[in-house]
Amino acid sequence: MGLLDLFRAHRHKGTASIAKERLQILVAHDRATRNQPSYLPQLQREILEVIRKYVDVDMNSVSVNYEQDETREVLELNIILPDAPAAKGI
Amino acid sequence: MAKIIVITSGKGGVGKTTTSAALAMGLAQRGHRTVVIDFDVGLRNLDLIMGCERRVVYDFINVINGEANINQALIRDKRCDALYVLPASQTRDKEALTKEGVGKVLEELGRSFDFIICDSPAGIEHGATMAMYYADDAVVVTNPEVSSVRDSDRMLGILSSKSRRAEKNEEPIREFLLLTRYCPERVAKGEMLAVEDVREILSLDLLGVIPESKAVLTASNSGVPVILDIESDAGQAYGDAVSRYLGEELPHRFLEFKKKGFFSRLLGG
């Protein structure tokens, strides 16, 4: 290592801390999805189909979250309805 | 009954085969009858790393299909009497590894060996799941690098859900972290994830840290498991890992970077 590297090393801090942070978030997310019941994606699709019968929503407006702690399991359903709900002539 | 250890990682090129060869040789050197099996059907390489590539006559798939018996396929290591290699097939399709077939071969080996090391192929496909299915213990080989750590974590998920132990609700597979290609100098500069970071993210017991070392390539060039290079840092680190696996408590070596003096840095020495 020469004189120049000595200054360079001081100028920018290492990227290892960025890697650690990104991994911690990613691994936590991966583990959360891993423990979900396998029917969840299918459930999400079918719920969306039912809602679409009545309201115009797209795939991204429906989110299905599954959380689990030691005592209970929570299935959370979040649907964002469009601003001006265009009822499909029922 | 033999202990079945899978060497796995998810990601390729992190050192599974190097590790399989080293751990198998280390266990055998300590007097345990050990067999190391190559599960990488179609891309076999363990024979090359073990230096027995010219002695392969029958392979794992031949044994599964009943075309050869286990004793015809096993290759005895010339350096260590307690060590045998079961090579993978170079030509067959990996689908030839059936759960029943693998189970039968492992059961037969289990009667005459103390340890069965399963060298897993990369990925999470059929070959990799077959390698880990019957495992009692898993050594997860990881590089201090984001994609390797992530893949290791995915593999941990598979170990805990798709193994025989998981399916039969038995005690889960014991999982160990083996960090390879570690560069203490780059860690000191903050350029590389530190061993503690990786251990914390994966929350695993640390079996060993193998430093990045020229000895690994030198060893594979000549078909000698690197653990036999007792002068080298990597060889010693693998030796420590084997001792730890067998229950010894040893401090981890080669984690510190010895700083050079100011003048040697200045002069680029």
Side-chain angles (χ1 to χ4, degrees):
Chain A
M1 191 196 270
L3 193 56
L4 267 178
D5 299 289
L6 206 62
F7 289 114
R8 219 176 284 144
H10 278 289
R11 211 172 54 217
H12 56 88
K13 257 191 88 191
T15 48
S17 51
I18 303 171
K20 186 183 179 184
E21 217 180 290
R22 290 174 64 213
L23 273 170
Q24 278 172 326
I25 295 166
L26 193 68
V27 165
H29 180 260
D30 283 354
R31 285 184 184 177
T33 39
R34 193 185 295 160
N35 295 326
Q36 286 178 350
S38 54
Y39 58 74
L40 225 55
Q42 176 77 16
L43 178 74
Q44 176 161 359
R45 264 195 305 279
E46 285 179 18
I47 287 172
L48 188 72
E49 273 168 34
V50 172
I51 294 168
R52 270 198 173 148
K53 278 195 194 165
Y54 305 97
V55 197
D56 245 344
V57 290
D58 63 29
M59 194 69 188
N60 300 328
S61 327
V62 179
S63 66
V64 181
N65 267 319
Y66 175 85
E67 273 173 46
Q68 190 179 30
D69 59 31
E70 271 163 31
T71 52
R72 64 200 171 133
E73 293 164 44
V74 180
L75 189 64
E76 181 191 274
L77 193 64
N78 194 10
I79 306 158
I80 303 163
L81 295 173
D83 285 343
K88 277 189 167 176
I90 309 150
Chain B
M1 195 64 196
K3 201 137 199 117
I4 303 175
I5 311 168
V6 61
I7 313 296
T8 188
S9 71
K11 191 173 184 297
V14 296
K16 282 183 295 298
T17 302
T18 301
T19 299
S20 300
L23 296 188
M25 178 61 84
L27 288 168
Q29 276 184 321
R30 285 160 172 78
H32 304 285
R33 282 178 56 85
T34 305
V35 56
V36 55
I37 308 177
D38 193 346
F39 274 78
D40 206 344
V41 175
L43 286 172
R44 77 163 175 234
N45 275 319
L46 179 68
D47 51 339
L48 208 50
I49 300 302
M50 292 294 298
C52 63
E53 70 277 9
R54 293 173 61 179
R55 296 165 62 208
V56 176
V57 183
Y58 293 108
D59 58 55
F60 193 13
I61 303 293
N62 290 140
V63 179
I64 288 176
N65 292 345
E67 296 151 1
N69 68 42
I70 190 79
N71 293 320
Q72 290 174 297
L74 285 176
I75 305 169
R76 176 189 280 223
D77 190 88
K78 287 197 166 156
R79 297 150 296 208
C80 184
D81 281 350
L83 180 60
Y84 289 78
V85 180
L86 182 55
S89 167
Q90 185 72 295
T91 51
R92 305 294 181 86
D93 194 76
K94 60 180 183 299
E95 303 304 320
L97 287 175
T98 59
K99 202 178 268 185
E100 294 69 35
V102 173
K104 248 174 76 185
V105 175
L106 291 182
E107 199 190 319
E108 195 177 348
L109 289 170
R111 278 185 233 126
S112 44
F113 285 94
D114 303 321
F115 289 105
I116 302 174
I117 312 268
C118 303
D119 181 19
S120 172
I124 51 174
E125 306 282 307
H126 186 71
T129 49
M130 278 303 105
M132 65 92 203
Y133 185 75
Y134 292 97
D136 300 305
D137 294 344
V139 174
V140 180
V141 183
T142 307
N143 289 168
E145 178 270 327
V146 284
S147 52
S148 174
V149 176
R150 182 197 207 175
D151 289 358
S152 293
D153 187 63
R154 288 218 52 195
M155 200 30 109
L156 291 174
I158 292 167
L159 288 170
S160 63
S161 63
K162 301 219 170 112
S163 62
R164 184 185 57 89
R165 281 171 173 271
E167 284 179 5
K168 300 211 160 173
N169 260 327
E170 289 176 18
E171 207 174 301
I173 295 175
R174 291 197 303 165
E175 301 155 342
F176 301 96
L177 171 66
L178 187 85
L179 200 60
T180 55
R181 310 201 68 164
Y182 195 66
C183 268
E185 182 177 3
R186 305 196 69 188
V187 173
K189 283 190 205 158
E191 292 175 0
M192 183 181 269
L193 286 164
V195 51
E196 261 320 299
D197 296 338
V198 181
R199 219 189 53 74
E200 188 188 322
I201 292 164
L202 296 176
S203 40
L204 280 184
D205 286 335
L206 185 64
L207 185 64
V209 181
I210 313 301
E212 172 78 60
S213 169
K214 287 180 183 168
V216 173
L217 182 62
T218 312
S220 81
N221 282 343
S222 37
V224 179
V226 69
I227 198 167
L228 293 177
D229 184 356
I230 49 169
E231 302 289 310
S232 71
D233 46 1
Q236 292 173 22
Y238 271 119
D240 287 2
V242 171
S243 301
R244 265 184 225 111
Y245 178 79
L246 293 171
E248 260 181 75
E249 282 192 27
L250 292 173
H252 291 277
R253 294 192 275 169
F254 316 111
L255 300 186
E256 300 300 321
F257 168 60
K258 283 167 205 72
K259 268 199 169 145
K260 291 179 196 166
F262 176 74
F263 282 104
S264 63
R265 285 167 68 131
L266 199 62
L267 300 169

